[in-house]
Amino acid sequence: MMLNLLFIGDIVGEPGRTAAMRALPELREEFGLDFIVVNGENAAGGRGITPKIAQELLRSGVDAITMGDHVWDQPDLIPWMDGEPRLLRPINYQQGTPGHGSVLLETPKGKVGVVQVQGRSFIQPPLENPFVVGEQEVLRLREEGAHAVLVDVHAETTSEKISLGYLLDGKASVVIGTHTHVQTADDMILPGGTAYLTDAGMCGPAVSVLGRDKDAVLKRFCTTLPSKFPVADWPVRLCGAVASIDMETGKAVRFERIQRMYEKNA
Amino acid sequence: MMLNLLFIGDIVGEPGRTAAMRALPELREEFGLDFIVVNGENAAGGRGITPKIAQELLRSGVDAITMGDHVWDQPDLIPWMDGEPRLLRPINYQQGTPGHGSVLLETPKGKVGVVQVQGRSFIQPPLENPFVVGEQEVLRLREEGAHAVLVDVHAETTSEKISLGYLLDGKASVVIGTHTHVQTADDMILPGGTAYLTDAGMCGPAVSVLGRDKDAVLKRFCTTLPSKFPVADWPVRLCGAVASIDMETGKAVRFERIQRMYEKNA
Amino acid sequence: MMLNLLFIGDIVGEPGRTAAMRALPELREEFGLDFIVVNGENAAGGRGITPKIAQELLRSGVDAITMGDHVWDQPDLIPWMDGEPRLLRPINYQQGTPGHGSVLLETPKGKVGVVQVQGRSFIQPPLENPFVVGEQEVLRLREEGAHAVLVDVHAETTSEKISLGYLLDGKASVVIGTHTHVQTADDMILPGGTAYLTDAGMCGPAVSVLGRDKDAVLKRFCTTLPSKFPVADWPVRLCGAVASIDMETGKAVRFERIQRMYEKNA
Amino acid sequence: MMLNLLFIGDIVGEPGRTAAMRALPELREEFGLDFIVVNGENAAGGRGITPKIAQELLRSGVDAITMGDHVWDQPDLIPWMDGEPRLLRPINYQQGTPGHGSVLLETPKGKVGVVQVQGRSFIQPPLENPFVVGEQEVLRLREEGAHAVLVDVHAETTSEKISLGYLLDGKASVVIGTHTHVQTADDMILPGGTAYLTDAGMCGPAVSVLGRDKDAVLKRFCTTLPSKFPVADWPVRLCGAVASIDMETGKAVRFERIQRMYEKNA
Ligand SMILES: [Fe+2]
Ligand SMILES: [Fe+2]
Ligand SMILES: [Fe+2]
Ligand SMILES: [Fe+2]
Ligand SMILES: [Fe+2]
Ligand SMILES: [Fe+2]
Ligand SMILES: [Fe+2]
Ligand SMILES: [Fe+2]
């Protein structure tokens, strides 16, 4: 039995959310999707996610939402997190941290585990070892009966992401990176059957710097003076990937990057 | 008149160099190449480049070599650099630094300028502002008669690279990133006619972490203990991009990413 | 003729300002002070300085105020800076940046120059080379007739600060560090006659972490969760140093660290 | 019963080691020392320590040696570490790391525990939370009968060091920082009885940048080009602190910084 899984990278602001929610039904049909994971760390005006936005995404057919270094940006989220197992922060926070780092969900085609780990190079705050913690958790989910496991690696450096791909090859079904907001072109199925992509890319304003107003960012880089970075406007480019996972083996058998453009009024 | 320009990302070690030099004649014919730029900062065992290797590449048909943060790794290179204008280090070093940061070369189809700038986020050493210095240099090369200008942005962050793309749109013909060793999937021609790609990707061992032995890198990440990272082995994936530039306007009219696999014995 | 110069390190919040302004008359008398420089980058609730606070300090007898990486925290300051030459930001920002990086002031005992440079290790934003720019500026002030020059080195690392001390030995009269908020015990007069201290220490709440509420900071370090860091309360420890400078030679002949405690109601 | 404990900061190179070993007998007599801890992370030519040097120090009367981020610089040390419980690396490495992070030693006056933790800001590699791990270990040593506990906080930032001081106040007898090589002037006994000093300073060449040749370091900062940093020469400044600890309560009752100069031929 084959499970078709869609992952969408960092959703940025209102344009990103609107486009993602509009796209889901058509992508579901096109790819025969069984399971959808999105990274939502920039969904609320670029800074974190609110419970309301998270609920909208989950009601629109998203099965799990991963976050990242922006997970604490919206203070409302923190008391709410413990009650929503489908909203994931990086698992390699120390014990006692609010929220969940992984989830195991039932689907008609079998159990699917989702884990997020965060890197430790050029990203804050300092966390526990994502290699040690991430591998343990994938194995634990497998022992708990996961037929497929997706790992979102939220990291700045390509070296951490690729290394986690190799470490988890044959253990996770999909290892996919987030945080840099630019899709990479290195999608592959590793020898052990793990679908790997260094970065999924974002779902946000296409003409922008990582989803933010390009002129504001440029001004800052040119002058080194601080400035606010509002979320840029439509059109939106939605970036992600679709994996087909053999639920007997947990291995990916197909893996495809996607990029779609969405206009404001469509 | 159209100039076809190939850029190859960070060449890693002996496998990377050998594959690049073997590939050049066939790529030249396939794409009707007029001009070839390669990033050579990891050509000598992963650490910098030697005069001998640089000369081999130049004799093999490479028109210019860009470097990056590894430019000073081979002490032999430093006294040699001043005499070879086709070997470029980042231009945003302060005045008085050995070597060249840009070059203007004659071709049968017109003058081509090449510039390298280095970012300032999560990369050492601290340099002058690449936005200010880079833009000035591109404009200066134009004033000196450059019909086309390529800028290699050697940087860790996607934000600096994309911002430089927008800043130089309509001024440079091609803005292409290096340093992360993973090709991105965001190749585009910006509104002003500049071909843009966040990272070209590397030309190095395909089964590796950034060209290095994956087990050595993994061991380091899993234990946090130091370890040596030898260059990995064949096969090699060569990554880069080909731009077709209208030499009347300096604008790119076609832009295409390339990835090719090379076996050791072919 | 001897000029007695007081430097006070980073003034933190209302307690720090109040203590500093209360202390100035007594310190002036005790040390026969001719010239007073304070670092004000944390004077406004820990974040930058406002024009109003700067004016209060200047009216209280402060001759010049240096800032640091917090210089842009108060948006009101930016339009005001150009009109107040005694308010200094790091000089090694690029050309065109608002505000002043140095000042040359007349005193009854001769001309005194003040310069601030900012380091480039572990401190943002990336700036021009403080060694090159700082040395040039000290020499320029000398040429403009400065009998004494004080340099505030706003930096995280001891290596940058000590190196600037040696570089400017015999050129500046005083080289004193700021930013770490902890006074160092390495006050010395270097062979060329420059009084040197790696960090002046702060003028702020004594029971605190760098002037901030210690429980809030501790909570963040223990949990790695974000938290607000309010300025802590009285008593205040005022840290700084007093140099006696021979205005014929520009050399320091005496150099003394000071630390004083101030209660809220005194 | 009072235990007099000496801590000496980062010993740098041959001059630092020679001076420290020469100083120990006279300091032992002067202060009636019962226990001596030194930081040895730069003892071997500035880079780590060898088993031979560690043994020399231990034979000279040193009771325990702490290290830091340079602990892995000498490959010979790694297989040797497990067999020498008095050689300490930061304890907040993950489980399975070679070597020891704490030790509990018998003395005629009672049991003394020594722990090293490493910070996580601007220092590599990324480690586990020093606040959580450090506090647990101090409490564990107390439970195992330690009458006094010294904690060496090897960290770049003053904020981490001060916060650990407050966290461990009343639990550890002495919390003392290392790594910046410059002694701070904030020695104090905290309300709970813990002697605290942000940085002990180094034991190394007095005319130097952190023990290294100042001209080499200056050249690097002025040019941003790489250069080698040999250990500088005599005279040596030995920096540290002496605490008198009440072995009934584990609280410090006296705490004094020391700085001594040593000429090569004395
Ligand atoms: Fe992120
Ligand atoms: Fe993001
Ligand atoms: Fe690089
Ligand atoms: Fe590279
Ligand atoms: Fe600062
Ligand atoms: Fe400050
Ligand atoms: Fe260290
Ligand atoms: Fe050290």
Side-chain angles (χ1 to χ4, degrees):
Chain A
M1 196 152 44
M2 212 60 72
L3 178 114
N4 293 318
L5 182 155
L6 168 68
F7 184 87
I8 299 177
D10 309 48
I11 293 175
V12 183
E14 188 277 327
R17 314 194 294 266
T18 304
M21 288 191 289
R22 200 196 295 158
L24 286 185
E26 65 191 56
L27 293 171
R28 185 180 295 278
E29 195 176 314
E30 180 178 347
F31 292 100
L33 296 177
D34 301 295
F35 201 83
I36 297 168
V37 182
V38 303
N39 183 295
E41 73 147 359
N42 307 107
R47 300 180 40 80
I49 199 167
T50 59
K52 185 161 170 289
I53 293 172
Q55 283 164 330
E56 274 175 32
L57 288 168
L58 292 167
R59 265 190 244 114
S60 305
V62 167
D63 293 283
I65 301 168
T66 55
M67 297 294 293
D69 54 315
H70 284 283
V71 62
W72 314 114
D73 284 0
Q74 299 292 334
D76 287 359
L77 192 75
I78 303 178
W80 180 84
M81 288 170 77
D82 283 329
E84 179 48 81
R86 294 171 294 172
L87 189 286
L88 303 181
R89 53 143 178 85
I91 196 169
N92 51 328
Y93 274 88
Q94 64 198 38
Q95 288 208 335
T97 302
H100 308 274
S102 71
V103 67
L104 185 57
L105 293 167
E106 304 275 353
T107 80
K109 293 188 174 167
K111 291 183 178 178
V112 181
V114 182
V115 185
Q116 182 175 52
V117 295
Q118 186 167 304
R120 304 204 287 186
S121 297
F122 313 142
I123 190 167
Q124 289 298 322
L127 298 182
E128 310 310 293
N129 191 321
F131 293 83
V132 173
V133 175
E135 186 179 28
Q136 277 173 357
E137 187 62 13
V138 169
L139 296 176
R140 196 188 66 77
L141 288 167
R142 285 288 191 203
E143 277 167 28
E144 290 211 2
H147 299 92
V149 177
L150 174 140
V151 180
D152 171 1
V153 183
H154 199 75
E156 178 68 34
T157 61
T158 51
S159 58
E160 285 173 296
K161 288 165 164 173
I162 297 169
S163 295
L164 266 157
Y166 282 118
L167 178 68
L168 299 177
D169 183 25
K171 298 161 194 155
S173 311
V174 180
V175 173
I176 194 161
T178 51
H179 181 65
T180 72
H181 289 212
V182 174
Q183 190 176 81
T184 54
D186 61 341
D187 48 298
M188 54 184 149
I189 296 180
L190 297 172
T194 298
Y196 174 77
L197 179 62
T198 292
D199 205 286
M202 71 172 171
C203 174
V207 180
S208 74
V209 177
L210 316 190
R212 307 308 184 108
D213 181 77
K214 70 182 174 58
D215 296 316
V217 179
L218 257 176
K219 193 179 160 199
R220 188 230 199 132
F221 278 129
C222 290
T223 64
T224 67
L225 298 178
S227 80
K228 300 237 161 128
F229 302 147
V231 169
D233 213 338
W234 296 80
V236 165
R237 180 178 285 113
L238 178 154
C239 295
V242 177
S244 298
I245 302 164
D246 179 338
M247 297 296 272
E248 313 302 316
T249 62
K251 294 183 194 303
V253 294
R254 276 192 53 204
F255 189 46
E256 185 181 341
R257 289 187 290 109
I258 63 166
Q259 293 193 20
R260 300 287 165 95
M261 288 290 286
Y262 294 90
E263 298 296 329
K264 184 166 190 175
N265 305 301
Chain B
M1 196 151 44
M2 213 61 71
L3 178 115
N4 293 318
L5 181 156
L6 168 69
F7 183 87
I8 298 176
D10 309 47
I11 293 174
V12 183
E14 187 277 327
R17 313 194 295 266
T18 303
M21 288 190 290
R22 199 196 296 157
L24 285 185
E26 66 191 55
L27 293 172
R28 185 181 295 279
E29 195 176 316
E30 180 179 346
F31 292 100
L33 295 177
D34 302 294
F35 201 83
I36 297 168
V37 181
V38 303
N39 182 295
E41 73 147 1
N42 307 107
R47 300 181 42 79
I49 200 168
T50 59
K52 186 161 170 289
I53 293 172
Q55 282 164 329
E56 273 175 33
L57 288 168
L58 292 168
R59 265 190 243 112
S60 306
V62 168
D63 293 283
I65 301 168
T66 55
M67 296 295 293
D69 54 314
H70 284 283
V71 61
W72 315 114
D73 284 0
Q74 299 292 334
D76 288 358
L77 192 74
I78 303 180
W80 181 82
M81 289 170 77
D82 284 327
E84 179 47 81
R86 294 170 296 171
L87 188 287
L88 302 182
R89 53 142 178 88
I91 195 169
N92 51 328
Y93 274 87
Q94 64 198 36
Q95 289 208 334
T97 301
H100 308 273
S102 72
V103 67
L104 186 55
L105 293 166
E106 303 276 353
T107 81
K109 292 187 174 169
K111 292 182 177 179
V112 181
V114 182
V115 185
Q116 184 176 53
V117 295
Q118 187 167 304
R120 304 205 286 186
S121 298
F122 312 141
I123 190 167
Q124 288 296 324
L127 298 183
E128 310 310 293
N129 191 321
F131 293 83
V132 172
V133 175
E135 186 180 27
Q136 276 172 358
E137 186 62 13
V138 169
L139 296 177
R140 196 188 66 77
L141 288 168
R142 287 288 192 204
E143 276 167 28
E144 290 210 3
H147 298 92
V149 176
L150 175 140
V151 180
D152 171 0
V153 182
H154 198 76
E156 177 69 33
T157 62
T158 50
S159 59
E160 285 173 295
K161 288 165 164 173
I162 297 170
S163 296
L164 265 157
Y166 282 119
L167 178 68
L168 299 177
D169 182 26
K171 297 162 194 154
S173 311
V174 181
V175 173
I176 195 160
T178 52
H179 180 65
T180 72
H181 288 212
V182 175
Q183 189 176 81
T184 55
D186 62 340
D187 49 299
M188 54 184 150
I189 296 179
L190 297 172
T194 298
Y196 174 78
L197 179 62
T198 292
D199 205 287
M202 70 173 173
C203 174
V207 180
S208 73
V209 177
L210 315 192
R212 307 308 184 109
D213 181 77
K214 71 183 174 55
D215 297 316
V217 178
L218 256 175
K219 193 178 162 202
R220 189 233 198 128
F221 278 129
C222 290
T223 63
T224 67
L225 299 178
S227 80
K228 300 237 161 130
F229 302 147
V231 169
D233 212 338
W234 296 80
V236 165
R237 180 178 287 111
L238 177 155
C239 295
V242 177
S244 298
I245 301 163
D246 179 338
M247 296 296 273
E248 315 301 316
T249 62
K251 293 183 195 303
V253 293
R254 279 193 50 205
F255 189 47
E256 186 181 340
R257 289 187 289 109
I258 63 167
Q259 294 192 19
R260 301 287 164 95
M261 288 291 284
Y262 294 90
E263 298 295 329
K264 184 166 190 176
N265 306 301
Chain C
M1 196 153 43
M2 212 61 71
L3 178 116
N4 293 318
L5 181 156
L6 168 68
F7 183 87
I8 298 176
D10 308 48
I11 293 174
V12 183
E14 188 277 327
R17 314 194 294 266
T18 303
M21 289 191 289
R22 199 197 294 157
L24 286 185
E26 66 191 55
L27 293 172
R28 185 181 294 280
E29 195 176 315
E30 180 179 346
F31 292 100
L33 296 177
D34 301 296
F35 201 84
I36 297 167
V37 181
V38 303
N39 183 296
E41 73 148 0
N42 307 106
R47 299 180 42 79
I49 199 167
T50 60
K52 186 161 169 289
I53 293 172
Q55 282 164 329
E56 273 176 32
L57 287 168
L58 293 167
R59 265 189 243 114
S60 306
V62 167
D63 292 284
I65 301 168
T66 54
M67 296 296 293
D69 54 315
H70 285 283
V71 61
W72 313 114
D73 284 0
Q74 299 292 334
D76 288 359
L77 192 75
I78 302 179
W80 181 82
M81 288 170 77
D82 283 328
E84 179 47 82
R86 294 170 296 172
L87 188 286
L88 302 182
R89 52 142 178 86
I91 196 169
N92 51 328
Y93 274 87
Q94 65 197 38
Q95 289 208 334
T97 302
H100 307 273
S102 71
V103 67
L104 185 56
L105 294 166
E106 303 276 352
T107 80
K109 293 187 174 168
K111 292 182 177 179
V112 181
V114 183
V115 185
Q116 183 174 53
V117 295
Q118 186 167 304
R120 304 204 287 186
S121 297
F122 313 141
I123 191 167
Q124 288 297 323
L127 299 183
E128 310 310 292
N129 191 321
F131 292 84
V132 172
V133 175
E135 186 179 28
Q136 276 173 359
E137 187 62 12
V138 169
L139 296 177
R140 196 189 66 76
L141 288 167
R142 286 287 192 205
E143 277 168 28
E144 290 211 2
H147 299 91
V149 176
L150 175 141
V151 179
D152 171 0
V153 182
H154 198 76
E156 178 69 34
T157 61
T158 50
S159 58
E160 285 173 294
K161 287 165 163 172
I162 297 170
S163 295
L164 265 157
Y166 282 119
L167 179 67
L168 298 177
D169 182 26
K171 297 162 194 155
S173 311
V174 181
V175 173
I176 194 160
T178 52
H179 181 64
T180 72
H181 289 211
V182 175
Q183 190 175 81
T184 55
D186 62 340
D187 47 299
M188 55 182 150
I189 296 179
L190 297 171
T194 298
Y196 174 78
L197 179 61
T198 292
D199 205 288
M202 72 173 170
C203 174
V207 180
S208 73
V209 177
L210 316 192
R212 306 309 185 108
D213 181 78
K214 70 183 173 56
D215 297 316
V217 178
L218 257 176
K219 193 179 160 201
R220 188 231 197 129
F221 278 128
C222 289
T223 64
T224 66
L225 298 178
S227 80
K228 299 239 162 128
F229 303 146
V231 169
D233 212 338
W234 297 80
V236 165
R237 180 177 287 111
L238 178 154
C239 295
V242 177
S244 297
I245 300 164
D246 179 338
M247 296 297 271
E248 314 301 317
T249 62
K251 292 183 195 302
V253 292
R254 278 193 50 204
F255 190 46
E256 186 180 341
R257 289 187 290 108
I258 63 167
Q259 293 192 20
R260 301 287 164 94
M261 287 290 286
Y262 294 90
E263 298 295 329
K264 185 165 189 177
N265 305 302
Chain D
M1 197 152 43
M2 212 61 71
L3 177 115
N4 293 319
L5 181 156
L6 168 68
F7 183 86
I8 298 176
D10 309 48
I11 293 174
V12 183
E14 188 276 328
R17 314 194 295 265
T18 304
M21 289 190 291
R22 199 196 295 157
L24 286 185
E26 65 190 56
L27 293 172
R28 184 180 295 278
E29 195 176 314
E30 179 178 348
F31 292 101
L33 296 176
D34 301 295
F35 201 83
I36 296 168
V37 182
V38 304
N39 183 296
E41 73 148 359
N42 306 107
R47 298 179 44 77
I49 200 167
T50 60
K52 186 160 170 288
I53 293 173
Q55 283 164 329
E56 273 176 32
L57 287 168
L58 292 167
R59 267 191 242 112
S60 307
V62 167
D63 292 283
I65 301 169
T66 55
M67 297 295 292
D69 54 313
H70 285 282
V71 61
W72 314 114
D73 285 0
Q74 299 292 334
D76 288 359
L77 192 74
I78 303 180
W80 181 83
M81 288 170 76
D82 283 328
E84 179 46 82
R86 295 170 294 171
L87 188 287
L88 303 181
R89 54 143 177 85
I91 195 169
N92 51 327
Y93 274 87
Q94 64 197 39
Q95 289 207 335
T97 302
H100 307 274
S102 71
V103 68
L104 184 57
L105 294 167
E106 303 276 353
T107 80
K109 294 188 174 167
K111 291 183 177 178
V112 182
V114 183
V115 185
Q116 183 174 54
V117 295
Q118 186 167 305
R120 304 206 285 187
S121 298
F122 312 142
I123 191 167
Q124 288 298 321
L127 299 183
E128 310 310 293
N129 190 322
F131 292 84
V132 172
V133 175
E135 186 180 27
Q136 277 173 357
E137 186 62 14
V138 169
L139 296 176
R140 197 187 66 76
L141 288 167
R142 286 288 193 204
E143 277 166 29
E144 290 210 3
H147 298 93
V149 177
L150 175 140
V151 180
D152 171 1
V153 182
H154 199 75
E156 177 68 35
T157 62
T158 51
S159 59
E160 286 174 295
K161 288 165 164 173
I162 297 170
S163 295
L164 266 158
Y166 282 119
L167 179 68
L168 299 177
D169 183 25
K171 297 161 195 156
S173 311
V174 181
V175 174
I176 195 160
T178 51
H179 180 63
T180 73
H181 289 212
V182 174
Q183 189 176 79
T184 55
D186 61 341
D187 47 299
M188 54 184 150
I189 296 179
L190 297 172
T194 298
Y196 174 77
L197 179 61
T198 293
D199 205 287
M202 70 172 173
C203 175
V207 180
S208 73
V209 177
L210 316 191
R212 307 308 185 110
D213 181 77
K214 69 183 175 57
D215 296 318
V217 179
L218 257 176
K219 192 178 161 201
R220 190 232 198 129
F221 278 129
C222 290
T223 64
T224 67
L225 298 178
S227 79
K228 301 237 161 129
F229 302 147
V231 170
D233 213 337
W234 295 80
V236 165
R237 179 179 286 113
L238 178 154
C239 295
V242 177
S244 298
I245 301 165
D246 179 337
M247 296 296 273
E248 314 301 317
T249 62
K251 293 184 195 302
V253 293
R254 276 192 52 203
F255 190 46
E256 186 181 341
R257 289 186 289 109
I258 62 166
Q259 293 192 20
R260 301 287 165 95
M261 288 291 285
Y262 295 89
E263 298 296 329
K264 184 166 190 176
N265 305 303

